[in-house]
């Protein structure tokens, strides 16, 4: 990965900048453009306003989110803040505008019914409202309505519907900065998925490497959608979080290639960070001639097919070893693990 990838800004940073600009305009009649904010770690980026609108008792500012070189679903989205005066002593009240979701399930760091504006962005906005109020003689009692243009459509490409965040996106970010190709957002979604499942009282969740394995796990175990964790390549993230926040049963489901890596002890299953070890797969097979054929296969699927033709259940052998890796990571946590290995067609080729 190039070290010259450009950093970007979170939706929380954009919402904070829009809020600060809108509140300044509400108090002074003028929008600061660009508007500068202070991020939690002290950086002071400036944001150009893409839209502004000033009425007698309301001001609106919006910023185009720049995610840098990260393939972020919200890159280019218009993040807006409408600010109006609130009741005396009310402080900052947050509302979900068009494109921002509402929390409908317990287990998230926000109460059910609250706008999906996460705690750190809320704190950033409160601090900047207080700063603007101090500079321009305001009370700091405001209603802030955050919106994201086309946010409801974009949210369908995120975890939000499964987490019970309905109607749009979440306003996110703990540092204000988007690190290109960071794993942190995906892993955070995995953790929130586990939190929601626990809050729902589910006793069984499934960590799945993709949509096909999700369908198989749901069909085999009758699991509801919000018990399915989009694990992707981050098997270690699922296992380590469950070690600290256990659910009685975990199913790990995935293709033979990905799960052969887990069986070989890898916790990050990404092709750029771990490789299928055909020598390891060969070591699972007792027959020397068959082991040699496995070693010479091009892929894990090829090795599976060689073994299937010989009547040897390589998928089961992979599942047993993958379960052993999972159990090792769980370190005795009260979580019972089963493993389902599938081929590309979604056929179950191994269980443990």
């Amino acid at each position: 990965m190039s070290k010259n990838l450009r950093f970007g800004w979170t939706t929380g940073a954009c919402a904070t900048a829009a809020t600060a600009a809108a509140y300044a305009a509400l108090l002074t009649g003028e929008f600061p453009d660009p508007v500068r904010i202070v991020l939690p770690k002290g950086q002071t980026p400036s944001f150009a306003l893409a839209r502004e609108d000033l009425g007698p008792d309301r001001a609106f500012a919006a910023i185009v989110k720049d995610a840098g070189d990260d393939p972020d679903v919200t890159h280019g989205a218009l993040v807006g803040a409408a600010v109006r005066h609130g009741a005396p002593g009310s402080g900052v009240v947050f509302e979900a505008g068009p494109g921002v979701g509402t929390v409908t399930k317990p287990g998230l760091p926000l109460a059910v019914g609250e706008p999906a504006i996460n705690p750190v962005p809320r704190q950033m906005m409160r601090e900047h409202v207080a700063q603007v109020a101090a500079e321009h003689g305001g009370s700091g009692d405001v209603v802030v309505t955050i919106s994201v243009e086309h946010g409801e459509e974009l949210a369908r490409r995120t975890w939000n519907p499964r987490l019970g965040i309905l109607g749009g996106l979440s306003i996110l970010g703990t540092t204000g900065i988007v690190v290109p190709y960071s794993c942190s957002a995906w892993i955070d979604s995995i953790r929130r998925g586990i939190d929601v499942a626990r809050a729902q009282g589910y006793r069984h969740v499934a960590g799945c490497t993709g949509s096909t394995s999700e369908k198989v796990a749901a069909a085999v175990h009758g699991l509801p959608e919000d018990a399915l964790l989009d694990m992707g390549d981050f098997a270690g993230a699922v296992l380590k979080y469950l070690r600290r926040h256990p659910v009685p049963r975990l199913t790990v489901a995935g293709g033979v290639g990905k799960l052969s890596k887990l069986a070989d002890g890898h916790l990050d299953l990404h092709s750029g960070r771990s490789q299928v070890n055909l020598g390891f797969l060969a070591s699972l097979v007792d027959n020397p001639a068959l082991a040699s054929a496995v070693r010479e296969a091009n892929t894990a699927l090829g090795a599976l097919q060689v073994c299937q033709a010989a009547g040897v259940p390589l998928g089961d052998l992979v599942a047993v070893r993958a379960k052993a890796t999972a159990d090792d990571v769980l370190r005795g946590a009260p979580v019972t693990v089963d493993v389902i290995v599938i081929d590309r067609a979604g056929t179950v080729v191994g269980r443990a």
Side-chain angles (χ1 to χ4, degrees):
M1 190 67 65
S2 168
K3 294 182 180 178
N4 298 317
L5 290 173
R6 195 167 56 87
F7 283 53
W9 312 111
T10 63
T11 48
C14 295
T16 298
T19 297
Y23 190 35
L26 187 65
L27 295 178
T28 69
E30 297 290 336
F31 288 90
D33 189 10
V35 57
R36 176 171 290 189
I37 63 171
V38 180
L39 298 180
K41 293 188 177 180
Q43 302 95 330
T44 55
S46 294
F47 296 81
L49 299 187
R51 289 188 196 167
E52 54 185 61
D53 179 59
L54 182 60
D57 55 4
R58 172 188 177 275
F60 174 81
I63 288 163
V64 175
K65 175 177 170 176
D66 179 1
D69 289 325
D70 195 67
D72 190 307
V73 68
T74 57
H75 177 67
L78 189 73
V79 180
V83 179
R84 66 183 192 270
H85 293 295
S90 61
V92 181
V93 176
F94 294 99
E95 292 182 346
V100 171
T102 298
V103 176
T104 67
K105 291 180 181 177
L108 296 171
L110 299 166
V112 170
E114 281 289 311
I117 303 168
N118 270 20
V120 171
R122 287 181 184 231
Q123 184 59 28
M124 289 169 61
M125 284 182 259
R126 288 190 188 101
E127 289 171 356
H128 284 79
V129 163
Q131 179 183 332
V132 172
E135 289 175 0
H136 301 296
S139 68
D141 298 318
V142 291
V143 179
V144 177
T145 304
I146 303 299
S147 58
V148 181
E149 195 168 70
H150 308 302
E152 188 163 8
E153 178 184 336
L154 292 171
R156 297 190 190 106
R157 296 156 57 189
T158 73
W159 273 57
N160 276 17
R162 187 170 295 178
L163 293 175
I165 298 170
L166 303 183
L169 292 162
S170 301
I171 303 301
L172 302 172
T174 54
T175 65
I177 296 174
V178 175
V179 179
Y181 292 88
S182 166
C183 304
S184 60
W186 195 319
I187 291 172
D188 186 63
S189 292
I190 289 171
R191 292 170 176 169
R192 299 296 78 76
I194 292 171
D195 291 343
V196 168
R198 282 165 51 90
Q200 298 281 95
Y202 293 147
R203 299 181 59 78
H204 188 177
V205 296
C208 307
T209 59
S211 58
T212 302
S213 55
E214 274 194 355
K215 291 174 185 172
V216 172
V220 168
H221 291 299
L223 294 173
E225 185 183 48
D226 45 2
L228 303 174
L229 308 171
D230 185 7
M231 176 176 76
D233 295 314
F234 302 112
V238 170
L239 294 166
K240 291 171 188 175
Y241 199 69
L242 283 173
R243 185 170 71 208
R244 300 190 303 273
H245 308 275
V247 172
R249 186 167 180 192
L250 167 68
T251 295
V252 176
V256 64
K258 298 275 190 193
L259 293 195
S260 74
K261 297 179 189 181
L262 182 63
D264 195 24
H266 296 287
L267 301 182
D268 184 338
L269 312 181
H270 189 277
S271 59
R273 299 183 288 269
S274 60
Q275 303 298 318
V276 171
N277 183 349
L278 292 167
F280 164 73
L281 291 178
S283 74
L284 302 180
V285 177
D286 288 338
N287 182 309
L290 185 58
S292 178
V294 167
R295 201 173 283 108
E296 293 171 8
N298 288 324
T299 63
L301 187 60
L304 176 72
Q305 291 167 341
V306 166
C307 289
Q308 285 175 325
V312 173
L314 182 63
D316 287 337
L317 300 174
V318 166
V320 167
R321 292 295 288 270
K323 173 174 162 48
T325 298
D327 287 337
D328 284 347
V329 176
L330 287 166
R331 296 181 190 168
V335 181
T336 300
V337 178
D338 73 282
V339 176
I340 301 175
V341 181
I342 62 171
D343 63 17
R344 284 182 182 162
T347 302
V348 176
V349 296
R351 296 283 298 271

